Every structure is written in C-alpha cells, then in structure tokens.
Amino acid sequence: MGANNTSTQPKGIGTKGLIFEESLLFELSSHGRKAYSLPSLDVPDVDIKSILPQAEIRDEIKDFPELSELDVVRHYTRLSQWNFSIETNFYPLGSCTMKYNPKINDQMAQLPQFSQHHPATPEPLSQGSLELMHDLQEFLKEISGMDSVCLQPAAGAQGELAGMLMIHAWHQSKGAQRKKVLLPDSAHGTNPASSALCGYQVISIPSNSNGFIDLEVLESVMDEEVAGIMLTNPNTLGKFEKDILQITDIVHKKGGLVYCDGANLNAIMGMTKMGEMGIDVMHFNLHKTFSTPHGGGGPGAGPVGVKKILEPFLPVPVIEKKDTSFHLNYERPQSIGKLKAFYGNFGILLRAYVYILSLGKKGIKQACQMAVLNANYIRSHLEGTYHQPYPGDSLHECIFSDKNLQSTGVKTLDIAKALIDYGIHPPTVYFPLIAKGAIMIEPTETESKETLDLFIKAMKEIAENATKDPESFHNAPTMPKVSRLDETQAARKPVLRWLPANN
Ligand SMILES: *Cc1c(COP(=O)(O)O)cnc(C)c1O
C-alpha cells in the first residue's frame, strides 16, 4: 500500500497525496519582521494614547505573527495547493455531481455590468439582469417540462422546503390539511427534513430488492391523510423509477401531490422531462447539474419548478414579462412568501444561464448521454471485482459495496482512504443507507476514458491488495500530509482554536 508500492500506482493522475510541510503563521513569526515598508514620517511622531481615548485603542495581541510579504504569500499559496478540487484531480463523488465547470461561465459572472449591479437598483435600470433571470426560468421550464420556475431558493434543500411549503399551502387552500408525507427509504436526508419542517409526519416506504418503489406497498400506505410523496428520479441508486407513471397515478388518485428531488438531473436532462412523469413540483441543483463550482460551501442555487396548480403559491417576487419589459411582482396573496434576500444567488444563476446557452439543446442531451455512458463504463469494468448491491444498468452513477472483500476485513472506508494515495478523491460512501457498505461512483460527462481507466485500475489494485496485504489498509492513506484521522476523537473532542504552546 501507499509509499511501499508507489511504482505500481497508475501514473499521470496528478500529485499523489499532499506534500508540502506547512507551519502556522504563529510559528513562522520572527520578531520585528514586517510585510510593508512605509516612507519616513514628514510629520511629528505622536503617541497614539495622547490623541485617542483608551477605549478606541486595540490591546496588544500577544504573540501576534510578524512576517515578511514573501512569507505570507508563500504560506497562503502553499495552503491553496492543499485544496483538493475538480480542477486538480478526479472527484467521482456520487449524488453530488462534481463536474468540471467551464471557465467561460465564471468569466461571464465576473463581468462588471453584472457583478457590480446592486440588487436594490430600481427595476427600470435592471432590465438586463431581470431578462436574464426570466430567460433562465424559460430554459429550466423547457428542460423540465414544468409550467413555472422560481429561481430564489439558495440550495436544493431550500428548494425542497419551498416545494413542500407549496404542497402544504395547496392542501390548506382546499380547506383540508393532511398529516403525512411518504418517502422511499433510499431518499437523501434533506427530504425527510424538509417534510418535517412543514409539520408533516414522515412515512418511510421500503424499496424492493431491485431498489425501486414497491407499487403494492405504496398502494397500501397511500390514503387521504397523505399530503404527497417525495421521490427522487433517477433514485439515489442511480436507477430510473420505471413505474413512475403508476406511482404518480396512485398518489394523485388519493388527492396527494408528487415532489421530485431533481439532484440527479444530470442523468435525464435532454432525454426526458419531469413534467411528463406526473411530477407536480421539483427542484434543480444548479450547483450540481448546471455548472456552478461547489463543494467548498460556497453559494448554490436550487430553483423550484411547479405545475399550473401550484403557481399561485410560488415565492415572491415573481419575475414577469409585460410587452418588452420585465418586472418583479410582489402582489400575490397566496404566495408562501419570500425565501431569500433579493432574488436568489444571482452570480450562480448567471453561470447556469451561460452554461445552458453554450451547450444548447443538443449539448445538454449529449452531456447527459456521456454521463450515463461513463458511469456504465466504470460499472461494467468493476462488476466482477466488487459486489453490486443492486445489479443491472445504472444511469449517471453506479453503486458497489465491500461485500466481496468481507473475508479480508477491508471495508468501504478503507477503500475510500486507499484511493487518496492514488490522487483520487474518495467517492460518496455509506450512502444510500439501504445499500450496506455502499460506495457510490459518479464520474460525470467531463472525464476522459484515460481518467476512467486509471480509476478502474486503482480500484482493481485496491481489491487485489486487500487480499494480499489487508493489514496495510488500516493506515491508508499514507501519502498525504494528514493520514488516517481518528474520526471518533475528532467528533468527541474537536480542537476548534489554536492555543500558543506556552498557554
Ligand atoms: C445534494 C442533494 C440534495 C440537497 O441539495 P443541496 O443543494 O445540497 O441542499 C438533495 N437530494 C439529493 C439526492 C442530493 O444529492
């Protein structure tokens, strides 16, 4: 493993591990060193205490680091190189769609005409930005087949909340609120949270052995107390719910509505539309499917799309087109209200707009096809080596488990850690919860066959080493600055601030 057999590791996937030593600025400090040089004074030097009241003067900070400009520049540049990102190496993080984001999108978002446009600028002077948002809504309507789109929510989870609030408001408007929401047991954790926040009791419905919603079970739990179902299509196992039309029909017949989590849109965009599957409300993750850098906790966007019946409840303001001008409509008495400052994360919306415009209809479809092809390429090459909890074709992501390695004692977490020594970001692990020891791989459309081959080779080598030398896995990864962390200690006794050694 690791340092012992670097010669057998695939070449060309970038740096292996993280190699720079880096001390804290406090430790690099040298008394009297400065990062600035000022011209000599041409006015009398006065003691600050003689001109400012004591309360305005900052106390001396003990051991405050003193460094030169070069010390500081090198320190932060080296730290920036510790970042793992999609721009450094392969990042096959299932469910999150960590795909490469063309730089042109960032450049357009940085145009001063957009980036300097204050969100409080009056409507007549904001026509360009309003038109852009309006057009993006139209693009998303076309892609999803929904009747209306609101760009406001800041993330998928907030889109879910908006959607569930609208379902709640719809039932309320009919004068009969309902109590429960149905959720497949493969759902992302944000789904039950969003339902519960709206006051609904969450009823989990077990998936069948193929990973699909069981129609008989659904039929048996769907009644007039159920406000609706929250499902994901393709589901979190990377499979298309083939009975989607029957599912939505069963729910509609008993007066419920259907929410679809659109986080997996990369797998179906340009091929089929949520609006044609009986979905009433859904969200898009612009920071997954529509090319916004994510993973660093930066801003995202989770627009919601709805069918006609839910339009009156959309968050305010709604961007409307009147003749040739655009305006923000707040006069909507049935609206669930405002969700986000101003109109959402405009810079993110701009990136999605440019991305969709540059791909076009054909490009969107091709991106989807490539994403599915890449996932199935990996799946078919690894299926003899790793156990597949839900075998068969997948869409944009594929799932394996550690079951075949059971006798070696090497577990999913060990496989994930070992991949770091190959310079590959670990895939999503132990999700979805219904697949025991899951490792969820989503290569995305942007990776080349060469990268996929290196990944497959690494995964095969890991399986081989697990049989030959299972002990070595306990220390993996060995190449990075920080190797295996004690995750229990980290959670129980987190070190949240730096204390000088002499304290
Ligand atoms: C990422 C994700 C979400 C939540 O979206 P955020 O933008 O992270 O809030 C919901 N469902 C699924 C399946 C996801 O992958």
Side-chain angles (χ1 to χ4, degrees), residues 11 130 157 164 183 307:
K11 286 205 171 65
L130 288 175
M164 294 314 288
L183 267 145
K307 280 301 185 66

Side-chain angles (χ1 to χ4, degrees), residues 28-68:
L28 295 171
S29 177
S30 172
H31 187 58
R33 199 162 279 173
K34 290 185 184 116
Y36 61 87
S37 53
L38 298 174
S40 49
L41 278 180
D42 57 0
V43 292
D45 194 0
V46 292
D47 184 3
I48 195 151
K49 291 196 182 103
S50 69
I51 51 170
L52 276 185
Q54 188 58 39
E56 302 298 328
I57 302 172
R58 196 175 65 186
D59 291 337
E60 280 293 316
I61 301 174
K62 195 168 168 294
D63 296 325
F64 195 70
E66 295 173 81
L67 300 112
S68 73

Side-chain angles (χ1 to χ4, degrees), residues 115-167:
S115 63
Q116 303 292 308
H117 186 195
H118 195 282
T121 311
E123 237 173 65
L125 300 175
S126 304
Q127 287 297 304
S129 298
L130 288 175
E131 181 172 1
L132 186 146
M133 290 197 283
H134 183 269
D135 285 357
L136 176 59
Q137 289 178 175
E138 295 300 307
F139 294 166
L140 294 176
K141 274 160 65 176
E142 172 69 23
I143 290 169
S144 65
M146 305 305 277
D147 295 325
S148 247
V149 167
C150 165
L151 303 173
Q152 218 178 103
Q158 205 185 21
E160 288 174 29
L161 179 62
M164 294 314 288
L165 283 171
M166 285 189 266
I167 289 181

Side-chain angles (χ1 to χ4, degrees), residues 50 85 100 105 117 127 155 179 197 246 289 315 339 409 460 467:
S50 69
S85 75
Y100 175 71
N105 307 340
H117 186 195
Q127 287 297 304
K179 291 201 181 91
L197 275 173
Q246 282 114 299
T289 322
L339 283 170
K460 286 192 168 167
T467 321

Side-chain angles (χ1 to χ4, degrees), residues 318-500:
V318 167
I319 303 164
E320 288 174 348
K321 185 175 183 180
K322 274 207 180 133
D323 301 324
T324 52
S325 63
F326 300 87
H327 90 117
L328 297 164
N329 184 357
Y330 286 86
E331 304 302 317
R332 298 177 55 89
Q334 287 186 287
S335 165
I336 58 164
K338 204 165 189 317
L339 283 170
K340 176 84 181 69
F342 300 108
Y343 326 105
N345 286 323
F346 182 69
I348 303 308
L349 305 177
L350 187 45
R351 285 170 170 86
Y353 173 84
V354 179
Y355 180 68
I356 295 172
L357 210 57
S358 58
L359 280 185
K361 207 168 179 162
K362 231 172 111 188
I364 294 260
K365 182 174 178 179
Q366 201 184 357
C368 165
Q369 290 171 323
M370 293 290 291
V372 172
L373 179 65
N374 281 357
N376 280 286
Y377 182 76
I378 289 180
R379 188 187 55 74
S380 66
H381 277 83
L382 291 180
E383 71 186 351
T385 312
Y386 289 92
H387 170 252
Q388 270 191 291
Y390 295 91
D393 287 350
S394 52
L395 287 182
H396 65 308
E397 54 198 3
C398 56
I399 295 187
F400 293 98
S401 85
D402 53 8
K403 195 171 171 194
N404 287 358
L405 304 181
Q406 221 160 34
S407 62
T408 68
V410 171
K411 298 200 165 16
T412 293
L413 186 69
D414 302 312
I415 301 168
K417 298 289 185 194
L419 277 170
I420 298 173
D421 279 335
Y422 288 86
I424 295 170
H425 194 283
T428 296
V429 290
Y430 301 108
F431 179 78
L433 302 176
I434 55 169
K436 192 165 177 286
I439 180 159
M440 184 190 220
I441 300 154
E442 181 179 0
T444 82
E445 70 276 14
T446 49
E447 298 298 338
S448 67
K449 180 171 174 293
E450 286 79 5
T451 303
L452 303 183
D453 285 337
L454 286 168
F455 174 73
I456 290 163
K457 185 160 182 261
M459 286 291 283
K460 286 192 168 167
E461 228 168 74
I462 287 169
E464 217 178 284
N465 289 341
T467 321
K468 277 197 256 166
D469 187 10
E471 284 304 307
S472 66
F473 276 81
H474 301 313
N475 302 322
T478 57
M479 306 280 284
K481 279 280 300 138
V482 178
S483 55
R484 184 73 68 106
L485 296 171
D486 182 340
E487 287 170 9
T488 313
Q489 278 284 80
R492 298 258 160 87
K493 291 188 178 165
V495 179
L496 299 177
R497 61 194 288 209
W498 177 83
L499 293 173

Side-chain angles (χ1 to χ4, degrees), residues 84-102:
F84 193 101
S85 75
I86 193 73
E87 280 156 25
T88 51
N89 282 14
F90 188 37
Y91 206 141
L93 198 67
S95 199
C96 284
T97 312
M98 300 294 284
K99 64 186 185 186
Y100 175 71
N101 310 293

